[in-house]
Amino acid sequence: MTELATRRPEAPTLDVMAIRAEFPILPRQVHGRPLVYLDNAATSQTPRQVIEAFDAYYSGYNANIHRGLHTLADEATAAFEGTRETVRGFLNAAEHREIIFTRGATEAINLVANAWGRANLKAGDEVLISRLEHHSNIVPWQLLASELGFVIKVIPVDERGVLDMTAYGSLFTERTRLVAVNHISNAFGTVNPVKEMAATAHAHGALILVDGCQAAPHQTVDVRDIDADFYTFSGHKVYGPTGVGVLYGKAVLLEAMPPWQGGGEMINTVSFEAGTTFAEIPHKFEAGTPAIAEVIALGEALRWVTGVGLDAIGGWENILLERATAAVSRIDGLRVLGTAPDKAAVLSFVVDGAHAQDIGLLIDQLGVAIRTGHHCAQPLLAQFGVDATCRASFAAYNTLEEIDVFAESLTRVIGMVR
């Protein structure tokens, strides 16, 4: 039996059925059963207005942006840059030029590593990375460290999956240059104190990069309040499309960084004789034709989330998490991993005598979609002595009835595999 402490605020409830009606995929059946989609930490589903944004672009004003002088190009550019302003407001960034569009958070982190990191890190310097990180916030730094010779230090976590903040403070030296940490763990749901971590980093003369992929769909993000130097998230985790993400960076940092990728759009002038001069930010970091339709649709997704209200979404997801946690905790031999007192709507668990993959495959036959595997967090799972977990993760459109179906289906599946 597993006990788990979670947040218990008084939270507004949502009109969940009205929300569900906005998602065309949710009424479908899987293996003859109603779909119960609980894989939202990997990819959330998409409301109708986001899907319609694609159709509106391709059927009404499909054109390349910025360089054209004709009507369609003007309309596409206005919609694209309108999303930049929407993202600025969503993150409370100071300026729209601090918003860079990428293919996702992974590319955004690689951009920082290759543009800021190459220009500022050298042998003997230090980068602090938490054990909670997704591989996308580990591997780029490892690749760069192997080339430049800087040192990666790991911020430890305790048995609950909570960062050891005393150890965090003790890791800093005069050579520490950057902290790279997620806002919320995708594997355990731990909410990290990134504002406190930013203050500590800045007190030691270091910068902080925050991976906000799991925070953006669940809570209000204010990059100025956090005082993040870099912040990133992906569209497909916040009810938007795949293939698009956001990098926020403080203007003073972005202006000083060299470009990472070269090509069209990111230049000012190109000459064989005099070389190349580069565009101002943000365009300096947006080489080539971007994912125009995806960016426009991302704007619709963020307006949808803002309209529903992130406080209401987060509060409802916490109710779902509490109900799911209580239900699975009654299953003998089931152990929840990630028991932070303050966590987001992610429930990871292992079952004695059963492999996570078997559980995932069988529960799918009952119409329930969960995630199994290492969740791109192998260093974290290794600390807990496992190589895979089952993970259920919740969104605004999930219902209490779906949680009950999940718990009943899980109990049935475990009885089959043990």
Side-chain angles (χ1 to χ4, degrees):
M1 306 286 281
T2 304
E3 297 297 331
L4 176 63
T6 58
R7 294 174 293 157
R8 300 178 184 275
E10 290 298 324
T13 58
L14 302 178
D15 186 346
V16 180
M17 299 313 295
I19 288 175
R20 288 180 65 84
E22 299 183 58
F23 288 78
I25 199 172
L26 294 181
R28 74 160 289 180
Q29 293 199 340
V30 173
H31 301 298
R33 296 174 180 269
L35 170 66
V36 176
Y37 186 80
L38 302 179
D39 192 21
N40 298 285
T43 293
S44 57
Q45 296 300 336
T46 309
R48 184 171 288 104
Q49 69 189 65
V50 175
I51 299 169
E52 290 174 348
F54 278 95
D55 180 70
Y57 170 76
Y58 282 113
S59 63
Y61 55 102
N62 178 18
N64 215 321
I65 58 172
H66 294 138
R67 295 179 292 277
L69 298 177
H70 55 82
T71 298
L72 268 62
D74 286 345
E75 292 175 354
T77 299
F80 184 93
E81 292 299 332
T83 293
R84 200 184 307 272
E85 176 58 27
T86 296
V87 175
R88 185 212 63 77
F90 185 76
L91 295 177
N92 194 33
E95 306 176 61
H96 74 274
R97 66 196 188 111
E98 296 178 318
I99 305 302
I100 297 164
F101 293 119
T102 65
R103 290 184 299 133
T106 297
E107 184 175 74
I109 294 169
N110 276 274
L111 190 162
V112 175
N114 283 279
W116 179 87
R118 286 186 183 280
N120 291 279
L121 296 173
K122 57 184 180 298
D125 286 345
E126 299 165 353
V127 171
L128 307 187
I129 301 175
S130 90
R131 189 168 290 275
L132 288 170
E133 297 313 301
H134 189 281
H135 294 166
S136 61
N137 203 19
I138 299 174
V139 178
W141 304 109
Q142 289 180 326
L143 290 171
L144 196 60
S146 68
E147 181 180 338
L148 301 182
F150 62 84
V151 177
I152 293 175
K153 291 183 173 181
V154 180
I155 309 164
V157 300
D158 64 19
E159 69 283 353
R160 303 168 299 168
V162 175
L163 289 183
D164 184 335
M165 294 299 289
T166 300
Y168 170 67
S170 70
L171 289 174
F172 285 89
T173 73
E174 70 280 358
R175 299 301 301 272
T176 306
R177 300 289 179 257
L178 178 75
V179 175
V181 64
N182 54 35
H183 198 159
I184 296 176
S185 164
N186 74 300
F188 284 3
T190 305
V191 181
N192 290 319
V194 291
K195 182 177 180 179
E196 177 185 348
M197 297 180 78
T200 301
H202 293 153
H204 288 87
L207 303 183
I208 187 167
L209 177 150
V210 181
D211 170 4
C213 281
Q214 299 298 329
H218 305 297
Q219 63 182 61
T220 300
V221 174
D222 187 330
V223 293
R224 284 192 279 178
D225 181 62
I226 295 169
D227 200 13
D229 298 294
F230 302 103
Y231 195 99
T232 183
F233 69 91
S234 290
H236 68 103
K237 297 183 190 295
V238 63
Y239 306 97
T242 60
V244 64
V246 168
L247 172 65
Y248 157 82
K250 290 179 178 177
V252 65
L253 296 173
L254 296 176
E255 287 173 334
M257 288 161 50
W260 174 36
Q261 296 175 323
E265 183 62 27
M266 49 78 66
I267 60 90
N268 184 17
T269 62
V270 177
S271 166
F272 284 119
E273 293 74 28
T276 297
T277 60
F278 302 109
E280 299 297 319
I281 60 171
H283 304 297
K284 179 171 70 172
F285 297 106
E286 294 179 352
T289 298
I292 301 170
E294 286 79 0
V295 167
I296 293 169
L298 172 63
E300 289 297 326
L302 297 183
R303 286 186 281 273
W304 182 87
V305 168
T306 302
V308 175
L310 280 161
D311 289 343
I313 290 173
W316 175 245
E317 290 170 341
N318 189 61
I319 293 170
L320 297 170
L321 175 64
E322 290 188 344
R323 190 178 185 107
T325 301
V328 303
S329 296
R330 291 190 286 268
I331 300 174
D332 290 332
L334 185 147
R335 176 166 61 104
V336 173
L337 298 182
T339 56
D342 181 27
K343 62 176 289 184
V346 173
L347 180 61
S348 285
F349 58 91
V350 293
V351 178
D352 293 343
H355 195 280
Q357 183 176 356
D358 293 336
I359 292 173
L361 288 170
L362 289 171
I363 204 168
D364 175 68
Q365 297 297 311
L366 302 177
V368 180
I370 64 172
R371 177 71 44 162
T372 62
H374 54 64
H375 317 300
C376 292
Q378 287 178 303
L380 176 62
L381 296 195
Q383 175 174 322
F384 289 81
V386 299
D387 58 10
T389 73
C390 298
R391 184 187 71 187
S393 50
F394 313 115
Y397 44 67
N398 289 128
T399 67
L400 294 174
E401 292 75 17
E402 287 183 318
I403 300 303
D404 294 340
V405 171
F406 160 65
E408 293 164 5
S409 300
L410 180 62
T411 301
R412 178 179 173 185
V413 165
I414 290 173
M416 296 168 61
V417 298
R418 284 205 305 206

